Every structure is written in structure tokens, then in C-alpha cells.
Amino acid sequence: MKITVSEKKTEYEVVIGKGFLSSFGERFSVSGKTLIVSDDGVPQKYAEEVAKGLKSVYKFVITQGEGSKNLKNFSDVLAFMLENGFERTDNVVAVGGGVVGDLAGFVAASYMRGVNFYNVPTTFLSEVDSSIGGKTAIDFCGVKNSVGAFYPPKGVLIDTDTLKTLGKRQLSSGIAESVKMAATFDKELFSLLENTDDFERDAEEIIRKSLEIKKRVVENDFKETGLRRALNFGHTVGHAIESACFPRLLHGECVALGMLVFSSEEVRER
Ligand SMILES: NC(=O)c1ccc[n+]([C@@H]2O[C@H](COP(=O)([O-])OP(=O)(O)OC[C@H]3O[C@@H](n4cnc5c(N)ncnc54)[C@H](O)[C@@H]3O)[C@@H](O)[C@H]2O)c1
């Protein structure tokens, strides 16, 4: 399954499937040096699979968690690339969730004024949401995502087999973002989420439908001036809850609570 996204005058492909991480290099014709950025909570077999089809591979593993989206890691990854002679035509691949994607994407946007960036998201949240749209960032001076860049990837590869190792809470947190997209744009997706009796079977369809929504919104409003704000449904109250309850509650859990406040009684009950 393929989706083509147009952002900032560039087009890229999102491929969704199962058991095909090792085809990454070939699918996107990746050449030159490649830095794979991951975190220590992501099963390392995923980075190893991605590395299989690549020639000159380097790896950088950060500590898992939001705390890693910081200036020190940003600087350490850049220094690692300089030390290893990375050039402007080389590549950075994020293999992990939104934390890895946001940090690695910002590194890619900044090194030599921009190298090729690819995303291989491995959490449900990053597969339905953060892997497309071009937002990259780190947290700075205690403010989430306050320093970053709009920098679209060259390609995104989503392998739904990676969800098999994801904990239930992380999965539900990601599903909340999908519910948000369904509630704002797509009643068929809402009904699929509500009625699925085999999530593993339907995951690919849910991801595709969610990404189609985000794609439409991003293509029409890349810099988040109007329509894209609709995707912030649940986030105003959600962010307030997150500030008060971090790190006890996950992002999606806070968004879910934030959406409930603004939902009708009927939707709330469903
Ligand atoms: N750029 C965007 O458009 C955008 C959109 C939404 C959220 N975000 C950002 O995304 C981040 C949250 O992302 P997230 O929810 O993916 O969290 P995350 O990246 O912190 O990942 C959650 C946990 O799951 C682990 N993990 C990842 N993949 C796994 C797998 N397949 N199996 C087992 N464990 C796995 C990680 O090690 C981590 O401990 C936040 O920083 C948020 O700001 C960015």
C-alpha cells in the first residue's frame, strides 16, 4: 500500500506493509552513508533489519523517553556525523517512535543545511501521525517542541509487524490520535475503530485511513495556519493535562481525555 504526500514542493512516498523492513534501502534507492537513529526501548532487531539493505551504516541509540528530545542529544548526533565524515548527500533514518523521529528529523534538517531524512516509525502514534507532516523538533528550556524545523522526509516505511512488540498502553495512546482524526474527518474510520474485532488484521487499514486524513490536511495547510489546527482536536485540554500529569500519563491518553471534554454526550458514550 502506498500513499504519496506533497509537502513544501517535495513529494515522498509512504509505504505500508508487513515484514519488509529489510527492503528499506532498495525501495528508496538509498546510497552513501546512512545513520540510523533509534532508542534503547525500540527492539534493536528493527534497526538491524533496516540496515540489511544498506552499504555504509552507522548507528546512534539514544535513551528512550521524551527527556531525550533535548539539545544535548541533538548536538551529540550532529558531532557523531561530523566525526564520521557525513556529507550533504548522506542519509539519516529514524527507526523508532515520535521521539526518535522528531530528534532525528531535526538533526537531518540541520546537518550541512539538510541531508536526506527517512522515517521508519515503530509506534502506532508515529505510524498514524508523526511520521508525515514534516514537523521535527526538540524540547528546549522546558518547552515541548519549541525548537525545530519543517523538514519533510524523503520516504516513510511503515511495517505493521513492529506493533507486535509495542506495549498495550503505547498502542492505545496511538489509537487515540487515530480516533481524533476519525472524529474530525472520517466517520468510516470512526466506525472501523469502534467495531474492529481483529486489530492486527485492521491495523494497516486504520493507519492508511489516518494518514490519508493527515495527508489531505498537511497538503492544504503545511505550516498549520488553518485547517491543520483541526488536528489539534483534544490537544488544548490534553496539553494542560499532560503538563500536570507528565510522565504518568502518555500523550495519547491526555488527548483522549481532552477530546472527551469537547465531545457530545452521544460521542462520549460511544
Ligand atoms: N512531528 C509530529 O508531527 C508529531 C506528532 C505527534 C507527536 N509527536 C511527538 O512524538 C513523541 C511521542 O511519540 P511516541 O508516542 O511514538 O513515543 P516514543 O517515541 O517515546 O515511544 C514510546 C515508547 O515505545 C518504545 N518503542 C518504540 N517502538 C517500539 C516497538 N515497536 N516495540 C516496543 N517498544 C517500542 C520507545 O522506546 C518508547 O519507550 C512526542 O515527543 C511528541 O511530541 C510529533
Side-chain angles (χ1 to χ4, degrees):
M1 187 183 294
K2 282 184 190 174
I3 301 174
T4 304
V5 187
S6 308
E7 275 171 34
K8 244 187 165 182
K9 296 182 188 144
T10 63
E11 272 201 347
Y12 59 89
E13 222 166 53
V14 181
V15 281
I16 311 170
K18 267 178 181 295
F20 69 154
L21 285 176
S22 58
S23 70
F24 168 80
E26 197 185 332
R27 266 167 202 280
F28 295 115
S29 308
V30 178
S31 59
K33 289 183 181 176
T34 300
L35 175 66
I36 297 181
V37 183
S38 189
D39 76 40
D40 60 7
V42 179
Q44 284 308 296
K45 61 182 176 187
Y46 300 145
E48 281 157 23
E49 282 295 305
V50 169
K52 272 186 188 164
L54 300 167
K55 287 207 177 84
S56 178
V57 184
Y58 297 72
K59 288 186 191 151
F60 197 105
V61 180
I62 58 170
T63 305
Q64 64 187 300
E66 183 68 27
S68 274
K69 253 171 70 174
N70 61 30
L71 198 55
K72 168 136 190 353
N73 278 338
F74 174 70
S75 156
D76 287 351
V77 184
L78 289 172
F80 182 82
M81 292 177 74
L82 262 184
E83 278 157 23
N84 287 290
F86 272 70
E87 294 179 3
R88 189 179 284 167
T89 48
D90 290 329
N91 319 286
V92 172
V93 187
V95 178
V99 164
V100 168
D102 279 7
L103 175 79
F106 188 37
V107 164
S110 310
Y111 188 78
M112 305 261 170
R113 300 194 185 93
V115 297
N116 303 319
F117 174 53
Y118 298 90
N119 208 336
V120 180
T122 62
T123 61
F124 198 68
L125 181 135
S126 55
E127 294 181 357
V128 296
D129 187 355
S130 62
S131 56
I132 74 164
K135 281 196 202 171
T136 73
I138 55 169
D139 305 334
F140 184 64
C141 287
V143 184
K144 203 169 143 75
N145 299 327
S146 50
V147 176
F150 281 94
Y151 195 69
K154 289 257 169 196
V156 178
L157 186 141
I158 298 175
D159 187 330
T160 55
D161 274 352
T162 57
L163 297 173
K164 287 182 183 160
T165 53
L166 195 65
K168 268 197 169 156
R169 268 188 79 194
Q170 289 292 348
L171 187 63
S172 307
S173 174
I175 291 173
E177 292 286 356
S178 210
V179 169
K180 171 201 76 182
M181 292 185 206
T184 43
F185 287 97
D186 185 346
K187 55 178 185 198
E188 265 180 36
L189 175 59
F190 198 89
S191 156
L192 177 60
L193 283 159
E194 204 173 17
N195 299 315
T196 178
D197 54 3
D198 185 345
F199 186 80
E200 205 179 312
R201 182 199 61 212
D202 293 335
E204 192 170 322
E205 181 68 357
I206 292 169
I207 293 169
R208 187 188 61 75
K209 280 180 172 292
S210 304
L211 288 177
E212 291 280 3
I213 293 169
K214 183 146 181 189
K215 164 189 150 81
R216 280 205 311 273
V217 174
V218 165
E219 284 179 352
N220 286 306
D221 183 16
F222 184 66
K223 287 231 168 158
E224 209 173 50
T225 49
L227 186 61
R228 195 161 170 178
R229 289 202 191 127
L231 293 184
N232 286 337
F233 175 47
H235 282 66
T236 313
V237 171
H239 279 154
I241 297 172
E242 202 168 1
S243 312
C245 301
F246 179 82
R248 270 178 303 131
L249 291 186
L250 300 175
H251 177 71
E253 293 170 335
C254 299
V255 171
L257 291 169
M259 285 190 288
L260 279 179
V261 177
F262 289 100
S263 296
S264 67
E265 189 108 359
E266 191 211 331
V267 172
R268 227 178 284 169
E269 268 168 28
R270 281 165 75 184

